[in-house]
Amino acid sequence: MEGTNVSATIQQLPSYLETFLQLQKQSPVHRQESWLRGVREDAFTSFCQLGFPTVHDEDWRFTSVAPIAQTTFHLSEIPEDETDTVTEDDIAPYRLESLAAQLVFVNGRYVSRLSCLPAGHKGLQVSSLAEAMLKEREKIEPHLTRYTDSSKEAFTALNTAFFEDGAFVFIPRGLALQKPIYLLYLNTGSETPRIANPRNLIMAGENSQGTILEDYVSLGVGESFTNVVTEVVAAEQAVLHHYRIERESTEVFHVSTLSIQQGRSTTVNSHSVLTGGALVRNNIQPVLAGEGGNCLINGLFIGNGRQHLDNYMKVEHRSAHCASHQFYNGILDGESRGVFHGRILVCKGAQQTDSKQTNRNLLLSDTAQMDSKPQLEIFADDVKCTHSATIGQIDEEALFYLRSRGLDEAAAEGLLLFAFASECLERMNPGLIRNYLAKIIMRALPQAKQSEAAL
Amino acid sequence: MSMLEIRNLHARIENREILKGLNLTVNAGEVHSIMGPNGSGKSTLAQVMARRENYVVTEGEILLDGKDLLAMKPEDAACEGVFMAFQYPIEIAGISNAYFLRAALNAVRKYHGKKEMDAMDFMPFYKQKMKLLEVDESFMTRSVNEGFSGGEKKRNEILQMALLEPKLAILDETDSGLDIDAMRIVANGVNAMRSPDRAIIVITHYQRLLDYIVPDFVHVLVDGRIVKSGGKELALTLEEQGYVGVETEASATAVAV
């Protein structure tokens, strides 16, 4: 098994190498950011050495990325035709009122024509990362690529070596931003498999507050690979709500890594909703570096057909008095497969750690499958760590109760599924984004469509 | 024609026969009480009428206004006007009472070709019924029965009944676990529902509830059959003498047959 996977990786390497060299020569971002060149070269070397992970790798035990390893992906050409063809009408469903800003990316590239930049907040920056790297090197250099580990993670290494653009968000010290920032990533699809490597850097200054939504959407069909890395840095006392929706088409491979660096007394809430994609891996990796940090990792995944949705999280408690709570609910139908792999690492000295992990799953068919794996590594002696996982079917008693009041079976089932999904919604702050997600979730649920109007 | 005709009903669960030839006729406007010892089949009767699928009817029929109730799914029975107040109401996290009740009410309205009720029309209607059952308005946004006390759950059942306005209401041991105050509130709610075109069946083990909801008829169910019927005074006799008397009577009848 391992042999075939490794050779599959090596088979595609010339193509990755060619692309890498081409980027160095032709991509304006790669040419101008000389300060990043060494980092990119190291990352590419790591990627070549690591190869794609296999199921023999403990962190990838339940997810084979062979389909990604075996496919030759192309970067979209520059200038990119598709960015011109996406119209305002195409993205009308993704426009929200009362946003602080909305950045739109097409196949990984920023499209200013479709984006709305922030106004009225002194010091708030929301822009294309490529642009910011040119103009604000001194702000970005100390952080970009510092919170990810390209020497160990192949997909991160690939992103670091290849990325051309993404979002840069900087919330200045003391600013409590009320309105959300919406980052929309459109995948237009194409006839040949294509790769996009968006890279985002989100910086929340001391005592600042903000809400960010990353939304991954398909506008067309075709096999493609979205390999995104987001780095979040929260300075002391910052409060950040991060939302991520993966709802690309079921031909898309999607690997995303959210690396969060939390300072003293920070709160970062990460909410993930996965409904799309063929093979999805969602890595959430907070590092609680300062005392008194709080981290919520909340998620919902809804699979159908042959979807494979892998939720991986690695929480590193490096300081004392930090809390991390993970809650993931999964709903799996058809032959879909879900994975919950929650790793909690409590470092020496991280006393008074409070860590909790809950994974609840509903299987709607006999052929759906769920693997749930908690992993606790504790090197401190005064900590509280709990975990629990359940896998079950729809509760027949509850179903009968609803039907006995007049709801037909499909409506009753839909309502119960929505209730189960709502556990995830209820952990989000009430407001615009939660309502938006509720509708997206409702549409993704089997048999729940009839109640949408009631929301 | 009577509203409800139960003829020679035999029902089993997991190969155990519970109802063994039960007959009962209920007319619109009447309140019937079915009393009996534990395990006599009271709840089974309620569950069969609410069309719970794990109870299998092997013989007999139930007609609701002439329609074959046993051919109906639970939701169809509900839409035809059957309402069972659960002995143990189910907790459903994540669905608010208001949302659930409006969905249920609209399902029933849709079945009868009526226009669905929007939130604007529903809320005043709901609040009016909440007042009747003396429940706090916070009920609306709370999840269905989640974290409710026993009394709150039972009041919520009667509240649902008041909103859905069934033709035939079946109260399955609604008094179990209720203190006197809660019982009075529940009974007030039920009494407010008494009407010439509605029938109510009160299933109970004890007579006390019948002090508040005074029945027109009392039936004693023993070992899957109604062995004795009478007026409200029968409940008092049972309270004094217990079920021992009727049980002996019943077995004597069985021997005689």
Side-chain angles (χ1 to χ4, degrees), chain A residues 412-434:
Chain A
E413 206 163 286
L415 204 50
L416 289 177
L417 290 180
F418 186 70
F420 182 74
S422 293
E423 293 177 9
C424 168
L425 284 170
E426 276 162 19
R427 289 184 205 106
M428 301 172 184
N429 278 359
L432 181 73
I433 300 296
R434 186 164 104 173

Side-chain angles (χ1 to χ4, degrees), chain B residues 8 42 44 46 61 169 179 192 210 250 255:
Chain B
N8 189 32
K42 301 189 298 294
T44 299
E61 62 178 356
D179 61 24
L210 305 181
V255 171

Side-chain angles (χ1 to χ4, degrees), chain A residues 93-205:
Chain A
Y94 313 104
R95 291 296 192 203
L96 286 177
E97 276 175 37
S98 315
L99 291 173
Q102 182 172 31
L103 299 188
V104 180
F105 299 85
V106 175
N107 299 326
R109 292 212 171 80
Y110 174 65
V111 183
S112 67
R113 178 171 58 83
L114 300 170
S115 301
C116 312
L117 298 178
H121 288 294
K122 200 164 172 261
L124 173 67
Q125 277 178 274
V126 182
S127 70
S128 135
L129 180 65
E131 261 176 54
M133 281 161 71
L134 280 179
K135 293 186 199 149
E136 318 249 6
R137 177 180 163 182
E138 68 290 346
K139 212 176 227 168
I140 289 170
E141 196 179 348
H143 299 287
L144 189 67
T145 75
R146 304 298 159 119
Y147 309 109
T148 53
D149 193 348
S150 289
S151 70
K152 292 201 182 92
E153 299 165 3
F155 288 104
T156 299
L158 181 63
N159 178 287
T160 300
F162 279 43
F163 81 83
E164 290 175 272
D165 209 346
F168 173 63
V169 176
F170 178 85
I171 307 172
R173 181 180 167 192
L175 173 66
L177 194 57
Q178 299 297 316
K179 296 174 177 175
I181 296 165
Y182 189 167
L183 310 174
L184 177 64
Y185 303 83
L186 301 167
N187 182 339
T188 62
S190 77
E191 281 163 24
T192 50
R194 201 154 49 182
I195 185 170
N197 293 286
R199 179 76 173 220
N200 307 308
L201 177 63
I202 298 166
M203 295 167 60

Side-chain angles (χ1 to χ4, degrees), chain A residues 242-258:
Chain A
H242 181 274
Y243 295 83
R244 164 173 280 157
I245 314 171
E246 158 57 1
R247 46 170 165 162
E248 290 170 291
S249 83
T250 49
E251 295 164 293
V252 175
F253 305 120
H254 181 108
V255 177
S256 60
T257 301
L258 176 65

Side-chain angles (χ1 to χ4, degrees), chain A residues 395 397-398 400-409 415-416 419 422-423 426 442 451 454, chain B residues 50 52-53 73-75 78 83-84 86 90 92-93 95 99-100 103-104 107 145 157 160:
Chain A
D395 180 358
E397 296 283 318
F400 175 68
Y401 189 70
L402 297 179
R403 291 178 72 192
S404 79
R405 299 298 181 245
L407 296 169
D408 67 38
E409 196 172 358
L415 204 50
L416 289 177
S422 293
E423 293 177 9
E426 276 162 19
M442 190 64 113
S451 328
Chain B
R52 199 185 192 93
E53 278 146 353
K73 291 190 242 175
E75 55 268 35
F83 180 96
M84 178 180 72
F86 281 56
I90 309 294
I92 303 174
I95 306 177
Y99 184 90
F100 162 52
N145 295 326
E157 291 293 289
Q160 292 176 22

